[in-house]
Amino acid sequence: MKKKITAFKKELGRNSQLRTGLILLTILLIGAIGAPVFATHDPFKLYDSIRVAPGVDGFLFGTDNLGRDIFSQILYGARTSLQIGIIAATISAVVGTLLGGVAGYFGGTVDKVILEFINIFVMTPSFFLILIIVAMFGSNIRYVMIVIGLTSWPGNARLMRAQAISLRERTFVRAAQAMGEGRASIMFRHIIPNGIFPIIANTTMQISGAILTEAGLSFLGLGDPNVISWGQMISAGKQYLVKCPWISAIPGIFVVVTVLTFFMIGEGLNRFISPKMQSNK
């Protein structure tokens, strides 16, 4: 464990992509967690200053078409985006890891059934499936997180399946089988712990996809109306793009920066984990 931590620190020193991503993530987390402290105005209050430009009347990022402070909305919107992204990606990782691990390790009929199940989800347009489910069951933030997580797991399942197929032939797994250790015990004690690292890198990138999906749903009016979302902010300002571009542009920039942040972290972790990518440095 100490060797891995030391190796990660060395990688952090030479991998500018991973380092930059972690710095940006720290800033985003501080802003989201400290939103009640850093917010200069009530994000839900309608002020008399409508569509005020950034820096005018004490509004750092200006106001929107209803007179709400954009800077404060950005901070609270970060909470929504990070919460949905992290929880949805975690659900995807858990489901994908379990199904992929079972398919790869047990093999045979179990593998064929799960692989066909994975293929069905891969062939189904996930965003339209999410639209249908949200339209049917409502746009509560909990439903949005669960639906995004349950429609984005096939990538993790395929990764874990490939890892399990490789690991089940290793000497330490064969030794555990020879000692009479059960299949379930071997999978959870040996297969998943040793094959989880690519899943971690992929899940980090999936957070970006979940944030974009939520922003898209909110932009289309299918997000949770009880929370502040960057997608809702972009949608609210689309009809004022010519005269008041900051209403949509500022939350749009934060969506892009947040997505790039998790992509850089995921790519950096992938370089740290993959021996092939390390050799190409």
Side-chain angles (χ1 to χ4, degrees):
M1 190 66 178
K2 289 182 179 180
K3 290 182 178 179
K4 290 182 179 180
I5 294 173
T6 303
F8 181 77
K9 287 180 179 178
K10 289 181 179 179
E11 179 68 17
L12 198 60
R14 62 174 176 256
N15 191 330
S16 59
Q17 193 174 37
L18 178 59
R19 187 170 62 252
T20 303
L22 290 174
I23 291 171
L24 289 174
L25 178 58
T26 302
I27 295 171
L28 287 169
L29 288 173
I30 291 173
I33 295 171
V37 177
F38 299 127
T40 55
H41 298 77
D42 185 341
F44 296 98
K45 186 175 180 179
L46 309 181
Y47 293 92
D48 294 331
S49 302
I50 297 176
R51 297 196 296 275
V52 168
V56 178
D57 294 341
F59 295 99
L60 186 62
F61 287 167
T63 60
D64 63 7
N65 58 307
L66 297 177
R68 294 171 297 188
D69 177 47
I70 294 177
F71 176 73
S72 301
Q73 285 190 307
I74 288 292
L75 292 175
Y76 280 87
R79 284 184 160 189
T80 303
S81 293
L82 292 175
Q83 180 183 1
I84 288 177
I86 292 171
I87 293 178
T90 301
I91 293 172
S92 171
V94 171
V95 175
T97 299
L98 290 176
L99 289 178
V102 169
Y105 179 62
F106 285 83
T109 305
V110 175
D111 183 28
K112 291 179 181 179
V113 171
I114 294 177
L115 194 57
E116 288 301 319
F117 191 53
I118 292 172
N119 290 334
I120 290 172
F121 269 84
V122 170
M123 290 185 292
T124 305
S126 59
F127 189 76
F128 293 104
L129 180 61
I130 292 170
L131 287 177
I132 293 170
I133 295 174
V134 169
M136 289 176 59
F137 296 100
S139 54
N140 185 283
I141 190 172
R142 293 180 182 176
Y143 294 149
V144 172
M145 289 187 292
I146 293 171
V147 168
I148 293 174
L150 292 179
T151 54
S152 59
W153 58 267
N156 285 326
R158 284 183 163 183
L159 276 175
M160 192 66 229
R161 176 178 175 270
Q163 290 288 103
I165 291 173
S166 174
L167 289 168
R168 71 185 183 187
E169 304 298 330
R170 298 287 180 87
T171 305
F172 65 92
V173 174
R174 293 291 189 184
Q177 291 173 342
M179 292 173 66
E181 192 169 345
R183 282 189 167 188
S185 176
I186 291 174
M187 192 180 75
F188 285 103
R189 291 184 60 187
H190 303 289
I191 301 294
I192 291 179
N194 286 284
I196 197 68
F197 299 106
I199 311 299
I200 294 173
N202 189 60
T203 299
T204 305
M205 293 185 182
Q206 283 187 333
I207 295 176
S208 299
I211 290 173
L212 279 177
T213 301
E214 186 278 328
L217 289 172
S218 296
F219 182 82
L220 295 173
L222 293 173
D224 192 336
N226 298 313
V227 299
I228 297 173
S229 167
W230 290 340
Q232 291 174 1
M233 296 173 68
I234 296 171
S235 179
K238 64 183 178 181
Q239 58 183 323
Y240 306 101
L241 280 174
V242 177
K243 293 184 178 179
C244 311
W246 62 86
I247 299 176
S248 290
I250 292 175
I253 290 170
F254 274 89
V255 170
V256 172
V257 170
T258 304
V259 168
L260 287 176
T261 295
F262 284 104
F263 180 81
M264 286 190 290
I265 294 173
E267 187 67 19
L269 288 174
N270 201 28
R271 287 181 177 275
F272 172 64
I273 291 166
S274 174
K276 291 183 180 179
M277 297 188 73
Q278 286 181 2
S279 62
N280 291 333
K281 289 180 184 179

